[in-house]
Amino acid sequence: MNQPRPTPADIEKAIRNIPDFPKPGIQFKDITPVLADARLFSGSIDLLTEQFKPGDVDAVVGIDARGFIFAAAAAVKLQAGLVPVRKKGKLPYRTHEQEYNLEYGTATVAVHVDALEPGSRVLLIDDLLATGGTAAAAAALVRRLEARILQISFLIELKFLAGRQKLKDYPVRSLVVY
Ligand code: AMP
């Protein structure tokens, strides 16, 4: 206890690069060492939520699947609800869906039609911003529910992929930038 709060540089040191996973040419950013370290995990949640206090946010929306880990902890810290944006076909009730482009082909994310109250204040979280397609699709679903995005937060941003350009309508924050 009473250890100093980790900095983004401390978190960066723990992120493991896995070359050619899940396919050749991709440098996968493995966050599991951050999760496994109690100080780094809770510090990353502190940093992801530092602009807000309990009462500022109605719901934290997390993106399937690693986004859920950070979004769930952030929701508890901010005393907000947790709303999952999932890959198509996973949510049991009626959904809105949003398709987006991948390098090859398309993917679809979904949210329950009653997941957010109109006008509710949302913090959207994912582990990593790459080309921005996933987060932009999740943001479109939040807006479809007429909720308001206060911020989109990522643990990691791959700046060279320019994902922020797809998120120009929102304040975007990332802790570790490559
Ligand atoms: P994108 O839609 O291109 O911004 O991709 C973002 C999503 O893909 C996030 O949910 C990430 O978890 C995952 N992702 C993309 N690239 C990587 C990478 N290099 N390492 C780890 N996860 C990645």
Side-chain angles (χ1 to χ4, degrees), residues 21-171:
F21 182 88
K23 51 187 180 185
I26 305 278
Q27 276 258 14
F28 192 85
K29 302 294 182 198
D30 178 15
I31 53 144
T32 61
V34 178
L35 303 177
D37 182 312
R39 180 175 156 264
L40 292 180
F41 184 30
S42 82
S44 68
I45 300 304
D46 289 344
L47 289 165
L48 283 168
T49 58
E50 71 184 346
Q51 267 117 359
F52 304 102
K53 58 185 189 311
D56 288 347
V57 171
D58 299 306
V60 180
V61 174
I63 303 180
D64 205 342
R66 286 178 297 278
F68 295 161
I69 299 165
F70 296 98
V76 172
K77 178 146 196 245
L78 294 175
Q79 294 167 28
L82 173 69
V83 169
V85 164
R86 298 214 61 185
K87 287 166 189 148
K88 181 183 166 152
K90 300 285 187 188
L91 287 169
Y93 184 57
R94 280 191 292 130
T95 58
H96 293 304
E97 294 184 351
Q98 181 70 44
E99 193 179 74
Y100 61 100
N101 291 322
L102 298 173
E103 197 180 352
Y104 301 104
T106 62
T108 302
V109 285
V111 72
H112 277 151
V113 294
D114 59 354
L116 292 164
E117 296 287 335
S120 56
R121 299 158 301 165
V122 164
L123 170 62
L124 180 60
I125 295 186
D126 200 2
D127 67 324
L128 185 145
L129 172 62
T131 66
T134 313
L141 289 174
V142 171
R143 287 178 68 159
R144 186 109 154 250
L145 296 173
E146 296 173 35
R148 194 153 55 90
I149 295 175
L150 301 180
Q151 184 170 289
I152 308 182
S153 293
F154 302 91
L155 192 73
I156 302 167
E157 175 178 0
L158 305 183
K159 204 172 177 190
F160 54 94
L161 293 174
R164 271 178 195 251
Q165 287 186 10
K166 291 204 184 83
L167 304 174
K168 279 194 188 126
D169 293 343
Y170 316 101

